[in-house]
Amino acid sequence: MDSTLHNGSSRGPRQLGDPLPLSSIVHLKGCVEDSELPSLVEGEIRVLGSTMHPKNAAVELMQDCLAERIGLKDKPMMATLPEDIGAPEGVEPRHVGNDDKRVPLRGDLGLHHTQNTKPGFVVSAYRGYTSFSEEHNDLVFGKHPEYPKSSIEWEMMVEAYCANDEYLKTKDGAKLFVDALGYGNLAALVNDCSIHPFGPPDKGAVEGSQGQDSDKRTLDSDKVSYAGREEDYYNLGRGVQVGQETCKLLIAFIRGFPFLFLVVTREFEAPQEALMKYGYPYWELLQSSNKRLAQWHVGLAGQHAKLRSEVAQKDDELAMMNKRWLEKELGESERKQTTLHDRINELPKEPSLGPSQSQSRPRLRAKLIPGQGPGPWSSPFIMHLPVKLQPLCV
């Protein structure tokens, strides 16, 4: 399982004290090329596809040292084992088709067998970062700074690429986690053979599936044992399986340390999609995470609605303030116009002239005064020149 949406970019230099492996991850996807593997830092070792946290590496190297000092030279030393067993064989990545019943996986990558193999064939090591629970939790709850989505979705992505088992422990019983995010190979692309064992989370999640009664959509963990839940996990008819299981992740103890390998479990005719059972805990975690994510979206929608309401209230207040200001300005303008009209009406009016007064009024004639403007006097444009006029009574 992998998505082309989770592609990271190069990061800056690691800061002293940054938690591993979060500070080392460059590409936010479960399957990376060999050239994209993060480089080792001081204290880490890479053995058979597993990049060990300095805490794990220190324990193994100490055992190597003790074995050598007490003369157990016939046992292979951890430091002398190869980094990997080689490239995966007999498989290739392919995109899940757009007509696949597993709607959420459409467009993502899956793994397909390209040759007929027999049970027991080792496809590849399950490559990842091996650490204790404390370091794994740092990765789960740390969130990569370049991941654009929510913290819950980050947790879901990390857990989706994490392999853990009740037998995946050190000699002293410490539980181990193998995180493929940023470290994995093609083994991380194997999808589950069930569409959704708990039934579709919504009507659009699985096409063609039949609805079930609400009381049968989840398993009652209080009434059945883990083994019973694991058995019912694929037998309760929660949706159509896309195919039979073709492989498993098996644990091999080398030098007393557990390593994971992808191994074929039955004969089949290639080409065929590589499928495995993720196990009940994976789907249980996915279901609870989806519920948390849905609640988070509901809370986020409520916050957005509250913000929109507050913005609308502020807009209304601003509109009212603008209205009041405009009314005040218009009222002031009207008051000034009324005052101006009143003052104009109060001015004394020029008395009108009667007919006799207008006939006896002297007629004015312009006289050009020499020396007050350019000549010649006979110019037809003389009245347009800048000359001084003197009225004469005739």
Side-chain angles (χ1 to χ4, degrees):
M1 164 179 65
D2 205 350
S3 173
T4 56
L5 296 178
H6 301 311
N7 291 328
S9 57
S10 298
R11 302 181 63 192
R14 184 185 301 107
Q15 299 296 323
L16 185 63
D18 284 353
L20 294 171
L22 182 62
S23 58
S24 297
I25 294 176
V26 177
H27 300 277
L28 301 182
K29 51 186 180 180
C31 176
V32 297
E33 301 290 340
D34 293 344
S35 59
E36 297 175 335
L37 265 176
S39 58
L40 294 175
V41 300
E42 183 178 358
E44 292 179 336
I45 61 173
R46 187 167 291 151
V47 180
L48 300 180
S50 177
T51 302
M52 296 187 185
H53 190 274
K55 287 184 179 180
N56 302 79
V59 174
E60 298 307 315
L61 294 177
M62 178 195 69
Q63 292 177 353
D64 277 357
C65 180
L66 291 176
E68 184 177 7
R69 293 183 66 174
I70 63 178
L72 299 179
K73 297 182 179 180
D74 57 326
K75 296 186 66 176
M77 300 298 161
M78 187 69 70
T80 61
L81 295 176
E83 289 191 0
D84 209 333
I85 65 171
E89 297 182 4
V91 290
E92 67 178 13
R94 295 181 185 177
H95 287 280
V96 178
N98 292 328
D99 58 346
D100 196 284
K101 292 182 179 180
R102 299 164 296 181
V103 179
L105 294 182
R106 291 178 180 178
D108 289 356
L109 287 174
L111 195 66
H112 284 252
H113 297 285
T114 58
Q115 64 184 36
N116 298 336
T117 54
K118 294 183 179 182
F121 177 77
V122 178
V123 178
S124 72
Y126 186 82
R127 197 168 68 188
Y129 194 91
T130 304
S131 62
F132 296 117
S133 58
E134 180 180 354
E135 289 71 36
H136 171 71
N137 290 335
D138 287 340
L139 178 62
V140 171
F141 302 111
K143 189 181 177 183
H144 197 280
E146 295 178 7
Y147 186 68
K149 299 183 180 180
S150 68
S151 298
I152 299 177
E153 291 167 292
W154 168 260
E155 295 175 23
M156 294 172 66
M157 183 174 67
V158 172
E159 297 290 5
Y161 293 119
C162 175
N164 65 84
D165 187 87
E166 58 179 326
Y167 298 106
L168 195 61
K169 299 178 180 179
T170 61
K171 292 179 181 179
D172 57 357
K175 189 172 180 58
L176 295 173
F177 297 82
V178 182
D179 293 295
L181 182 64
Y183 286 85
N185 56 1
L186 292 179
L189 301 181
V190 180
N191 288 316
D192 194 286
C193 57
S194 174
I195 295 177
H196 199 296
F198 295 138
D202 53 60
K203 295 182 179 179
V206 181
E207 289 188 349
S209 61
Q210 301 296 325
Q212 293 86 24
D213 296 336
S214 59
D215 59 343
K216 295 182 180 180
R217 291 175 65 90
T218 58
L219 303 179
D220 190 346
S221 58
D222 295 331
K223 294 182 180 180
V224 290
S225 64
Y226 175 82
R229 298 202 306 272
E230 189 73 15
E231 181 181 356
D232 291 341
Y233 163 60
Y234 288 97
N235 298 330
L236 287 178
R238 299 303 186 212
V240 182
Q241 293 186 7
V242 294
Q244 295 183 359
E245 184 183 34
T246 65
C247 51
K248 285 179 178 289
L249 284 180
L250 297 181
I251 301 173
F253 287 86
I254 302 175
R255 283 272 306 143
F257 192 86
F259 293 90
L260 289 173
F261 297 90
L262 183 65
V263 182
V264 174
T265 57
R266 70 176 182 87
E267 293 186 6
F268 52 82
E269 292 291 331
Q272 184 174 149
E273 183 177 3
L275 298 171
M276 62 183 292
K277 294 180 179 179
Y278 285 179
Y280 177 85
Y282 169 83
W283 291 104
E284 187 177 40
L285 177 63
L286 180 63
Q287 188 180 49
S288 62
S289 297
N290 280 329
K291 290 181 179 179
R292 289 173 55 210
L293 186 61
Q295 294 172 354
W296 180 79
H297 281 296
V298 170
L300 188 63
Q303 293 179 10
H304 286 174
K306 181 179 179 181
L307 288 175
R308 286 194 295 268
S309 176
E310 291 177 355
V311 170
Q313 182 179 357
K314 294 295 183 182
D315 288 342
D316 292 342
E317 294 176 358
L318 183 60
M320 182 61 67
M321 292 175 61
N322 289 335
K323 181 179 179 181
R324 293 173 180 173
W325 178 85
L326 185 59
E327 291 176 350
K328 179 180 178 181
E329 291 296 318
L330 290 176
E332 186 69 18
S333 177
E334 292 178 356
R335 186 185 65 77
K336 291 181 179 179
Q337 291 182 1
T338 302
T339 303
L340 181 61
H341 285 302
D342 292 343
R343 292 181 62 185
I344 292 175
N345 293 333
E346 292 175 358
L347 293 176
K349 298 182 179 179
E350 183 180 359
S352 58
L353 299 176
S356 59
Q357 291 176 328
S358 62
Q359 292 179 357
S360 61
R361 184 176 181 178
R363 186 171 56 181
L364 300 179
R365 182 174 66 180
K367 175 182 178 182
L368 190 64
I369 301 176
Q372 299 299 319
W377 293 355
S378 60
S379 170
F381 306 104
I382 190 169
M383 296 304 295
H384 297 280
L385 297 177
V387 297
K388 182 183 292 186
L389 298 179
Q390 181 176 351
L392 294 177
C393 296
V394 295

